[in-house]
Amino acid sequence: DKASLNAQKDEKNYIKSIQIGEKKAIQKEFNQKQSKDSNIKNNYQVLSMQLKEKEMVKKAEKEQQNLYKKQFEEEVNQVKREEANARNKQKARQQEYNKALNSQLKEKKSKNQYAVLMSEYERSVNNNDIDAYQNMDNGTLNAKLPGFGSHN
């Protein structure tokens, strides 16, 4: 009986060790699967972060390109405004020049019109009389009247 008890005890111990071995194998398999899943999850997270970084870099590059484009357009518009201002100033100078030239032409035409009637000396004397009258210079005007001038 003792031998059969020992045999039963050994059988129970054997079964128990087999169960413990199976539990350890199951636990080991579970831990390996969990580790593998964790590694896969970490890899996905790393890949996701890399994708986000690439997207952020692309976005930053696009924003930089837009900024450069905007700055270039502003510079082009500034140059266009400056060119337009220069053209307007040139146009205004040309108009002033034309105005002065037309005035000179009118004056010359007017002188030529009366050149037959008066000599240059007569014109200057008459112009002096007109200027004296406008400036109320009675001394110059009275000098030409008989009895008022200094030559009497």
Side-chain angles (χ1 to χ4, degrees), residues 113-129:
Q113 182 178 1
Y114 295 108
V116 178
L117 302 175
M118 289 188 269
S119 69
E120 190 63 36
Y121 172 74
E122 290 171 324
R123 241 189 322 278
S124 73
V125 168
N126 287 335
N127 281 343
N128 288 339
D129 288 344

Side-chain angles (χ1 to χ4, degrees), residues 8-147:
Q8 283 179 352
K9 201 177 195 187
D10 285 341
E11 192 178 331
K12 282 183 184 178
N13 284 339
Y14 177 74
I15 291 174
K16 207 176 204 184
S17 68
I18 290 177
Q19 288 175 344
I20 290 174
E22 286 178 355
K23 279 184 181 179
K24 283 183 180 179
I26 291 172
Q27 184 66 37
K28 185 178 178 183
E29 187 180 326
F30 176 77
N31 288 342
Q32 286 175 345
K33 188 173 189 307
Q34 197 173 26
S35 176
K36 186 177 177 183
D37 289 345
S38 177
N39 287 341
I40 290 172
K41 183 179 177 183
N42 287 340
N43 286 343
Y44 281 134
Q45 287 175 344
V46 168
L47 288 173
S48 175
M49 286 175 56
Q50 288 175 347
L51 284 174
K52 286 179 183 178
E53 287 175 4
K54 282 185 179 182
E55 288 174 4
M56 288 175 60
V57 167
K58 282 183 182 180
K59 185 178 179 182
E61 287 174 351
K62 188 174 182 180
E63 288 175 358
Q64 182 119 20
Q65 286 176 347
N66 287 340
L67 179 65
Y68 287 148
K69 181 180 176 183
K70 185 177 180 182
Q71 288 174 342
F72 178 75
E73 288 173 351
E74 287 174 0
E75 289 175 8
V76 166
N77 289 336
Q78 179 66 26
V79 168
K80 285 181 181 179
R81 284 191 297 270
E82 289 172 359
E83 288 175 350
N85 287 340
R87 281 193 303 272
N88 289 340
K89 286 179 182 178
Q90 178 64 24
K91 193 184 267 186
R93 285 192 299 265
Q94 186 67 35
Q95 288 174 346
E96 285 294 318
Y97 174 77
N98 289 341
K99 196 175 184 181
L101 191 60
N102 284 335
S103 173
Q104 289 174 359
L105 287 173
K106 281 182 183 179
E107 186 177 327
K108 185 173 181 176
K109 190 175 180 182
S110 143
K111 283 183 181 180
N112 286 341
Q113 182 178 1
Y114 295 108
V116 178
L117 302 175
M118 289 188 269
S119 69
E120 190 63 36
Y121 172 74
E122 290 171 324
R123 241 189 322 278
S124 73
V125 168
N126 287 335
N127 281 343
N128 288 339
D129 288 344
I130 292 169
D131 289 342
Y133 176 76
Q134 287 175 342
N135 294 328
M136 301 213 143
D137 185 5
N138 291 332
T140 305
L141 293 173
N142 290 339
K144 293 189 174 188
L145 294 175

